Every structure is written in structure tokens, then in C-alpha cells.
């Protein structure tokens, strides 16, 4: 008995220590340091001690909190668009497509993600920019008199964000939709339900855990993305991650940057908490 | 009597495969009609065509005299109780039952009144607020039926709904279902592969095989007067002897097997002398140690190979001297307690209890020899 429990604890530590070290050294410790810095004045002021000035600065400067709320609203919008596109896609893959085409379709969604995000976003710029493919053909055949700049606006940025995050919505929804018994859909149909009622009352309630986990992943990804807003939205993107980047890299103000980082973390936690409460789901159910 | 459901020459093809082949039948209002057949015989396909999930390749389906061609399932006056019931786990019992009523746009007080009425009808009055996973198998069954009955369909279709229940509960539900149907008076069309379910509950049973109906009849007629060798083998148990039909000098028919053994037979249906036939005799028609004084009687000495004890359904597996295996019903009234494995006994049966059909070579199961 003794040897068995010893062996068990030995095996437990083999797996536990790397996870523990990884979490501690790469996540928890840096965050503690960032949290400490966010409550300290910049080093060049040589004024040690606790201060709220980094956070107060954020609320005093409209550009900061404007960007902050804009980022939050656009992240929610992108998440909703991804959900609206993702649901029918997942439904088609799990319930409509034949077993053979099913794998093929999943691969089709997956393949673009084998390429790095940078390359994918540059792909979009090649298509959309002023000297890009669309403009080339449109002006060549005289449909447009002169090239139109389709990049560097909010629509292009949102489209790019939707494109880069759709997989992370579709995959969890496929998971739960797979477990939906087809006969439930048929039973609802047999009992007189129309398509929209079947979606509202049967499919979506069943898929809720997958929808919520997809939404959380997509929301966090979009909120924290830097590359896509920067490359497709350009200077107008006003994404909050850029503000954080600027503080750290441009202004060398790590204290302010840390404060911004924590504000972003705080906001995303609040939004996810509210979303979970509104949808009546528990985090435990969603991460299962 | 009004005809609730009329199926006329319905055919369903998938490519080259014919799942349902020219099936016609009528079901009178208020009757319990069963379709009995082995798995893969096309009965589910037929039921789903009536429900509207598949369109027939040819033929027509009429419900209360109205042609149902191109009417989707949500517009048909029939409801289907699914094999695995398909209760909505995201709703409680009352919302499950109210689902169809709400789709018709009925007002909530009216809906709740009907829900409580039907729950009382199926004997679950206190279960309105229970979740689906709090119900037992039999209760789920009743909720699934209530969910359909509350809509007062012209025909209620049931797709082997007792299949998932254990034996005792199934026996119980059989009687319950029959009582419920008699009480409510809705027309039931029930499909099953379990002959006992079909026989106990139904007014009429259709035996289906390979996409077509072999016989539509009352349960007792199916048992006593099977119309084909398939029905003889599928409904109840039967011993089969293959041989040539022949006639003796006095004009009486007999079946002669490959070992030249002769078995007298009195009903030959449309078989003719010289035909290769299968002769079917039920285990319960065979008498152990028959009285000596009977004339025109099949009698043979056999060797007891095994005693297959199964309570009221116990049988003896015996072999004739020529190696033909025969199952004989063994009544559990202590009269035959002396018979043990390895004994030699006499068996016999009245030639009138056998039927014969032309041998087609069809097999019910692949491993049959």
C-alpha cells in the first residue's frame, strides 16, 4: 500500500513540476512584477512607493479610454459576427455534409491556419490595397474609374479579425453540435416547429457550452490581437493593444504599460463574467 | 368506419436498392395497427414516409382522405414517437409536452390546462416540473407519447419505442400502451421487430420482409394461418422440414424428406404434388408420448438431445433417427419431469397442425443452414 501511494506521488510530481514551473515562471511571476510596476512611478522620476497615477492618467486622457472602449465594443462585434457565421458553418459540417465531405470541409477551415497570421494578413492586403487585385480588375474593366483604397478602415479591420478567428468558433461548436441527436431536430420538426424555432429552442440551447467557449476564445483573441488591427486598420485602427505597445516600446514607460495591461485583463474578465451570467452558463460547464 | 391512414402502392428506392416495394394498406380510425418485420426490412423507412421525413418514390399516402404528397412533417396531422424518444433535454416535462401546442400559437393558460390533462391521462400528474433526466425509462416513454397525444393527431406513429426498455418493463408497457390506446381512441401505427409486442397490442398486424408486406391479418390469423413461409417462421416458432410433396394411394398428402421419411399433412394451400416444400410445425403442436389409438397421425421415436429450460417457454431439443432436429414444447405441469437428456421418447402431431409452402431457398438469418 505504502509503495503504491509513493509511486503515485512520484508520477504526480513528474507531470506536475513542469506545469507548475511553466505557470509560475512564465505567467504568475511576470504578472506579479507587472502588477507591482503598474502601481509604481517611472524609474527615472526616482520616487519609490505606491501610486495610482498610472491608472488615473488613463481616465484623464480621453484618447486612452476611448480606444479602450472602442476595442471592447469592436471585439464584441467581431465575436458576434464570427458566431453568426460560425453556427451555420458548424451545422453544415456536422449535420448536412456527408461523412466524406465532412473531413474535407474541416480541413478547408483548418488549412489557412497552417500559415502564420502575418502571412495571412498580408494576403488580405495584397487583395484589398489600392494597387491590389480587386482594384486592378475593377479599373481594368472600367467598373471603377479610379482605384479605391479598401484597406485601413474599420470594415477591413473587422473583416480581417473575423477571418483570423473563425476557426476558434467553429471547432468548439462542431464538438457540441456533434453530440446533438438528429432525432431531436426531427422531433421538433414533427411537432410542428419551423426552422427558426428549431434553431432557437433546440440547436442553440444544446450548443450553448460550445458557443460560449468559442465566444470566450474568439473574444480574448480579438481583444488581445495586435497584428491584424495594425496591418489592416492601419493608423486608424486605434486598438488598445497598440497603446500598450506604445507605452512599453515607444515611450519606454513600463509602469503605464503594465497599468494598461491590467485594465485590459480586468475588462475582459468583467465582460466574460457578464456574458456567462447573461447566458446562464457556468465556467465549469463551458471548459468541460 | 372512417379510414385514418391509407397507403397506396408506396415505393421507396435508394439508387438501385428498393427499401419499400409496393406497399398498400388502410388503417381504420381508432385501430392499433402494427408493422412487424426483422431489422432492415424497410419498416422504419415506411414509417418515416408517413411522418413526412421521406417522400415516396412512387405511390401515395393519404391521411383522413387528404393526400400528403409534398406536405412537410410539421404540417402533417401525424406525430411520431421516436425510437429513442427524442425528448428535449433542455426543457422540463411540461415544456416538452407544451412544445407542439405552442407551435400552434395557443395561449399559455390553455396550453397548461391541456398539458396537465394529458399528464393525468398517462398517469404522471405530479411530474410537470421534473427535468427529463429525472425520469425513469417508463416515465420517459409516457412523456414522449403524451407529447404527441396532446396534439390530437389523426395517427400516432410509434417507432419501436419499447426497444430500449428492459424485459419486465417492456411487458408492463405493452399492456399500458394497449390500455392507453383503447382509452384515448387515437389510431396507432406501431412498428416493431418484436412479434410479442405486435401480437399483444394490435388489432391488425402487417408482416414485412424485404420491403414488401407478406401478410396483413389479425394476430391470431397470423399465428394460425400464415400466408407465407416467412410469416410461418417469423411469427411464433416453427420446426421446418424440407421435402417433396407427394400423394399416397388413398389421396392423402405427405411430405417425404431426403431420408425417405414421410410426414402426413392435411393442408397444402397452393402447393402441388411433386413440389419441393417446407413443412412447418409449431413446437406447441407436438405431443409428447401421444396415445396409440390415433389414426392419420405423424408419429416418430426421437432421442432427447437437450432439455431447454425456460420457465413457461421450456422446450425439448430432440433428433429423429435420420438426424432431423425438432423442437418440442415442454409443458411445466410435472407430467414430463421424467424426461432427461439422452432419453428416447415418442413424439407425434396431428397432420392438420402443419402447413407447407413452396421452398424458395430464402433464409431468415444468414447463419441458418
Amino acid at each position: 500500500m505504502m509503495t503504491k501511494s509513493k509511486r503515485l506521488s512520484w508520477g504526480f510530481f513528474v507531470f506536475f513540476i513542469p506545469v507548475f514551473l511553466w505557470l509560475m515562471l512564465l505567467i504568475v511571476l511576470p504578472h506579479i512584477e507587472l502588477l507591482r510596476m503598474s502601481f509604481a512611478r517611472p524609474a527615472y522620476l526616482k520616487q519609490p512607493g505606491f501610486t495610482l497615477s498610472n491608472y488615473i492618467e488613463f481616465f484623464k486622457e480621453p484618447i486612452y479610454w476611448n480606444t479602450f472602449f472602442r476595442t471592447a465594443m469592436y471585439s464584441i462585434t467581431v465575436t458576434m459576427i464570427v458566431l453568426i457565421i460560425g453556427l451555420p458553418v458548424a451545422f453544415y459540417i456536422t449535420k448536412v455534409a456527408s461523412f466524406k465531405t465532412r473531413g474535407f470541409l474541416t480541413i478547408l477551415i483548418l488549412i489557412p491556419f497552417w500559415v502564420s497570421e502575418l502571412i495571412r494578413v498580408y494576403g488580405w492586403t495584397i487583395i484589398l490595397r489600392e494597387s491590389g487585385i480587386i482594384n486592378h480588375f475593377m479599373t481594368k474593366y472600367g467598373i471603377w474609374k479610379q482605384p479605391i483604397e479598401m484597406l485601413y478602415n474599420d470594415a477591413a479591420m473587422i473583416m480581417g479579425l473575423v477571418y483570423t478567428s473563425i476557426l476558434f468558433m467553429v471547432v468548439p461548436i462542431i464538438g457540441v453540435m456533434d453530440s446533438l441527436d438528429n432525432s431531436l431536430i426531427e422531433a421538433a420538426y414533427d411537432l410542428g416547429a419551423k426552422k427558426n424555432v428549431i434553431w432557437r429552442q433546440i440547436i442553440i440551447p444544446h450548443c450553448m457550452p460550445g458557443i460560449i467557449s468559442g465566444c470566450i476564445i474568439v473574444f480574448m483573441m480579438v481583444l488581445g490581437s495586435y497584428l491584424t488591427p495594425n496591418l489592416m486598420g492601419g493608423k486608424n485602427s486605434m486598438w488598445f493593444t497598440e497603446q500598450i505597445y506604445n507605452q512599453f516600446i515607444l515611450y519606454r514607460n513600463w509602469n503605464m504599460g503594465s497599468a494598461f495591461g491590467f485594465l485590459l485583463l480586468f475588462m475582459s474578465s468583467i465582460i466574460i463574467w457578464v456574458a456567462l451570467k447573461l447566458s446562464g452558463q457556468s465556467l465549469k460547464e463551458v471548459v468541460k | 368506419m372512417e379510414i385514418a391512414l391509407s397507403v397506396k402502392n408506396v415505393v421507396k428506392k435508394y439508387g438501385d436498392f428498393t427499401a419499400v416495394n409496393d406497399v398498400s394498406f388502410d388503417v381504420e380510425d381508432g385501430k392499433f395497427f402494427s408493422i412487424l418485420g426483422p431489422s432492415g426490412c424497410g419498416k422504419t423507412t415506411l414509417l418515416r414516409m408517413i411522418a413526412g421525413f421521406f417522400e415516396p418514390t412512387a405511390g401515395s399516402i393519404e391521411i383522413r382522405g387528404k393526400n400528403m404528397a409534398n406536405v412537410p412533417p410539421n404540417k402533417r396531422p401525424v406525430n411520431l414517437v421516436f425510437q429513442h424518444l427524442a425528448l428535449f433535454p433542455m426543457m422540463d416535462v411540461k415544456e416538452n409536452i407544451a412544445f407542439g401546442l405552442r407551435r400552434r400559437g395557443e395561449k399559455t393558460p390553455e396550453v397548461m390546462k391541456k398539458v396537465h390533462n394529458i399528464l393525468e391521462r398517462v398517469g404522471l400528474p405530479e411530474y410537470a416540473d421534473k427535468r427529463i433526466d429525472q425520469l425513469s425509462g417508463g416515465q420517459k416513454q409516457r412523456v414522449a407519447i403524451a407529447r404527441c397525444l396532446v396534439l390530437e393527431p389523426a395517427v400516432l406513429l410509434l417507432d419501436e419505442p419499447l426497444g430500449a426498455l428492459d424485459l419486465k418493463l417492456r411487458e408492463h408497457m405493452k399492456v399500458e400502451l394497449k390500455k392507453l390506446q383503447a382509452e384515448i381512441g387515437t389510431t396507432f401505427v406501431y412498428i416493431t421487430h418484436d412479434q410479442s409486442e405486435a401480437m399483444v397490442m394490435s388489432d391488425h398486424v402487417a408482416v414485412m420482409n424485404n420491403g414488401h408486406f407478406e401478410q396483413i391479418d389479425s394476430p391470431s390469423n397470423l399465428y394460425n394461418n400464415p400466408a407465407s413461409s416467412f410469416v410461418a417462421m417469423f411469427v411464433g416458432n416453427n420446426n421446418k422440414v424440407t421435402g417433396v410433396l407427394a400423394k399416397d394411394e388413398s389421396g392423402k398428402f405427405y411430405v417425404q424428406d431426403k431420408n425417405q421419411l414421410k410426414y402426413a399433412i392435411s393442408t397444402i394451400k397452393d402447393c402441388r404434388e411433386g413440389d419441393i416444400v417446407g413443412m412447418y410445425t409449431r413446437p406447441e403442436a407436438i405431443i409428447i408420448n401421444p396415445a396409440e389409438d390415433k389414426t392419420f397421425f405423424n408419429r416418430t421415436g426421437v432421442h432427447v438431445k437437450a432439455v431447454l429450460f425456460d420457465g413457461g417457454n421450456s422446450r425439448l431439443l430432440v433428433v429423429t433417427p435420420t438426424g432431423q432436429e425438432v423442437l418440442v414444447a415442454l409443458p411445466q405441469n410435472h407430467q414430463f419431469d421424467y424426461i432427461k437428456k439422452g432419453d428416447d421418447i415418442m413424439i407425434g402431431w396431428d397432420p392438420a397442425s402443419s402447413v407447407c409452402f413452396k421452398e424458395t431457398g430464402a433464409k431468415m438469418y444468414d447463419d441458418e443452414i
Side-chain angles (χ1 to χ4, degrees):
Chain A
M1 212 45 216
M2 198 60 202
T3 49
K4 196 178 179 186
S5 73
K6 252 186 190 165
R7 205 179 300 145
L8 244 175
S9 60
W10 177 81
F12 174 72
F13 276 110
V14 163
F15 290 104
F16 177 72
I17 284 172
V19 175
F20 178 77
L21 287 178
W22 185 66
L23 276 174
M24 274 317 277
L25 296 178
L26 296 174
I27 314 249
V28 178
L29 285 180
H31 272 78
I32 290 174
E33 173 61 11
L34 284 175
L35 188 64
R36 189 198 62 79
M37 272 204 289
S38 76
F39 288 110
R41 291 190 180 83
Y44 60 85
L45 290 174
K46 303 229 172 359
Q47 282 177 306
F50 178 84
T51 178
L52 284 172
S53 63
N54 294 317
Y55 290 94
I56 291 165
E57 188 65 21
F58 167 82
F59 289 104
K60 278 207 296 206
E61 192 64 65
I63 186 86
Y64 290 153
W65 51 262
N66 272 344
T67 316
F68 188 75
F69 286 113
R70 188 182 132 87
T71 307
M73 286 306 128
Y74 270 173
S75 297
I76 293 172
T77 313
V78 168
T79 309
M80 287 301 120
I81 296 172
V82 171
L83 178 63
I84 289 164
I85 300 172
L87 268 176
V89 170
F91 183 78
Y92 187 87
I93 291 177
T94 49
K95 299 293 175 199
V96 183
S98 69
F99 193 73
K100 256 192 235 159
T101 46
R102 198 189 146 150
F104 175 69
L105 290 172
T106 317
I107 295 281
L108 267 191
I109 294 186
L110 211 62
I111 279 182
F113 290 82
W114 293 359
V115 181
S116 92
E117 191 188 352
L118 190 67
I119 309 288
R120 267 180 290 145
V121 173
Y122 271 122
W124 275 113
T125 58
I126 289 171
I127 295 170
L128 293 179
R129 71 181 171 200
E130 214 174 342
S131 55
I133 294 168
I134 293 180
N135 274 311
H136 173 77
F137 283 106
M138 286 311 208
T139 47
K140 190 179 173 188
Y141 295 108
I143 297 165
W144 294 343
K145 287 206 178 70
Q146 55 195 26
I148 298 169
E149 179 59 273
M150 281 175 286
L151 271 179
Y152 313 125
N153 55 47
D154 289 358
M157 182 179 75
I158 286 177
M159 195 200 62
L161 287 168
V162 166
Y163 171 73
T164 50
S165 53
I166 187 105
L167 174 77
F168 302 94
M169 182 67 85
V170 172
V171 168
I173 296 181
I174 284 180
V176 284
M177 217 176 250
D178 230 3
S179 67
L180 174 66
D181 188 353
N182 288 350
S183 64
L184 289 186
I185 298 172
E186 285 173 346
Y189 195 29
D190 184 65
L191 292 167
K194 294 192 189 76
K195 283 203 177 75
N196 62 338
V197 176
I198 296 176
W199 270 99
R200 221 175 48 234
Q201 302 232 359
I202 310 293
I203 300 175
I204 291 178
H206 176 89
C207 296
M208 217 49 190
I211 289 173
I212 294 294
S213 64
C215 284
I216 290 177
I217 298 170
V218 168
F219 177 72
M220 297 298 263
M221 272 184 59
V222 170
L223 197 67
S225 69
Y226 175 76
L227 213 59
T228 313
N230 213 11
L231 290 177
M232 295 191 74
K235 283 213 162 37
N236 306 324
S237 68
M238 306 245 294
W239 212 249
F240 197 63
T241 48
E242 285 167 27
Q243 300 287 0
I244 298 175
Y245 174 88
N246 290 345
Q247 291 299 334
F248 274 104
I249 308 297
L250 243 53
Y251 310 139
R252 299 268 163 182
N253 189 345
W254 282 47
N255 307 76
M256 192 76 151
S258 322
F260 282 11
F262 272 96
L263 283 166
L264 193 63
L265 179 66
F266 185 67
M267 176 185 65
S268 59
S269 310
I270 292 273
I271 290 177
I272 286 169
W273 181 80
V274 169
L276 283 173
K277 281 280 160 273
L278 283 181
S279 64
Q281 298 285 311
S282 73
L283 193 62
K284 222 163 114 193
E285 196 68 22
V286 166
V287 294
K288 218 165 38 184
Chain B
M1 205 69 168
E2 206 190 333
I3 301 293
L5 170 69
S6 171
V7 172
K8 287 176 188 147
N9 307 98
V10 161
V11 177
K12 179 71 185 174
K13 284 186 181 175
Y14 295 103
D16 289 338
F17 175 70
T18 308
V20 175
N21 188 3
D22 196 17
V23 164
S24 301
F25 64 96
D26 290 332
V27 183
E28 283 177 8
D29 218 4
K31 292 285 186 212
F32 199 123
F33 186 87
S34 288
I35 300 168
L36 173 66
S39 41
C41 72
K43 57 190 190 299
T44 301
T45 311
L46 179 59
L47 197 75
R48 293 175 74 88
M49 283 194 283
I50 300 171
F53 290 110
F54 302 151
E55 277 297 319
T57 314
S60 70
I61 294 167
E62 284 175 13
I63 296 164
R64 290 221 168 119
K66 268 195 222 110
N67 194 327
M68 286 291 131
N70 299 317
V71 178
N74 55 356
K75 299 266 170 12
R76 291 196 184 198
V78 295
N79 289 108
L80 175 58
V81 177
F82 284 77
Q83 189 164 13
H84 300 293
L85 307 178
L87 294 172
F88 304 132
M90 55 290 267
M91 302 173 198
D92 60 14
V93 168
K94 66 173 183 305
E95 279 309 314
N96 260 284
I97 298 174
F99 188 87
L101 295 171
R102 290 196 196 282
R103 301 288 78 76
R104 291 179 180 174
E106 292 190 26
K107 297 272 174 299
T108 303
E110 189 68 14
V111 168
M112 283 304 140
K113 216 175 108 193
K114 284 187 181 175
V115 168
H116 286 289
N117 274 343
I118 199 78
L119 275 174
E120 218 145 282
R121 266 311 212 356
V122 298
L124 297 171
E126 313 90 65
Y127 284 76
D129 296 315
K130 292 262 195 255
R131 286 197 320 273
I132 296 304
D133 54 21
Q134 290 173 308
L135 303 179
S136 70
Q139 289 165 345
K140 279 184 192 164
Q141 198 79 55
R142 285 185 239 176
V143 172
I145 291 166
R147 185 174 73 172
C148 293
L149 283 181
V150 78
L151 299 174
E152 291 163 2
V155 179
L156 182 67
L157 308 169
L158 301 103
D159 183 3
E160 303 198 37
L162 304 186
L165 303 180
D166 60 66
L167 184 69
K168 272 281 166 218
L169 188 56
R170 199 154 65 215
E171 293 295 322
H172 176 69
M173 284 306 291
K174 258 187 238 172
V175 182
E176 288 275 298
L177 211 53
K178 177 70 199 162
K179 277 204 304 213
L180 187 70
Q181 192 269 339
E183 214 177 277
I184 291 177
T186 307
T187 314
F188 276 36
V189 172
Y190 187 97
I191 69 166
T192 180
H193 62 266
D194 183 318
Q195 46 147 322
S196 142
E197 281 175 23
M199 307 274 263
V200 169
M201 293 190 283
S202 318
D203 299 305
H204 288 280
V205 179
V207 179
M208 196 172 184
N209 180 32
N210 280 332
H212 67 272
F213 279 1
E214 297 263 346
Q215 187 173 4
I216 305 175
D217 225 324
S218 66
S220 64
N221 266 342
L222 282 182
Y223 180 83
N224 292 319
N225 301 309
S228 70
S229 59
F230 180 84
V231 177
M233 285 306 281
F234 197 75
V235 178
N237 294 303
N238 254 320
N239 290 299
K240 180 182 175 186
V241 175
T242 316
V244 181
L245 191 65
K247 212 194 273 188
D248 67 7
E249 317 80 62
S250 59
K252 284 182 174 140
F253 284 99
Y254 59 88
V255 174
Q256 187 168 14
D257 75 358
K258 58 181 186 292
N259 296 308
Q260 310 305 318
L261 225 63
K262 291 172 183 176
Y263 301 99
I265 185 162
S266 51
T267 38
I268 61 156
K269 303 220 166 180
D270 46 2
C271 297
R272 260 180 259 138
E273 205 181 336
D275 281 348
I276 300 199
V277 296
M279 182 183 77
Y280 299 90
T281 315
R282 297 204 179 272
E284 49 272 34
I286 299 175
I287 302 163
I288 300 169
N289 293 335
E292 301 285 335
D293 54 347
K294 289 186 177 163
T295 52
F296 192 57
F297 196 75
N298 287 309
R299 200 187 303 270
T300 175
V302 291
H303 181 75
V304 179
K305 210 169 160 187
V307 180
L308 308 171
F309 183 79
D310 183 15
N313 194 21
S314 297
R315 285 166 300 175
L316 291 175
L317 178 62
V318 300
V319 273
T320 62
T322 52
Q324 173 81 45
E325 284 190 352
V326 179
L327 281 170
V328 180
L330 184 65
Q332 292 299 303
N333 50 15
H334 296 300
Q335 195 191 342
F336 302 108
D337 282 0
Y338 62 88
I339 298 175
K340 294 278 174 303
K341 184 183 167 186
D343 288 354
D344 288 306
I345 56 168
M346 286 296 285
I347 60 166
W349 65 92
D350 194 304
S353 8
S354 296
V355 287
C356 70
F357 299 98
K358 241 184 248 181
E359 184 67 7
T360 54
K363 286 173 187 168
M364 186 154 316
Y365 302 108
D366 289 337
D367 55 352
E368 204 179 298
I369 359 147

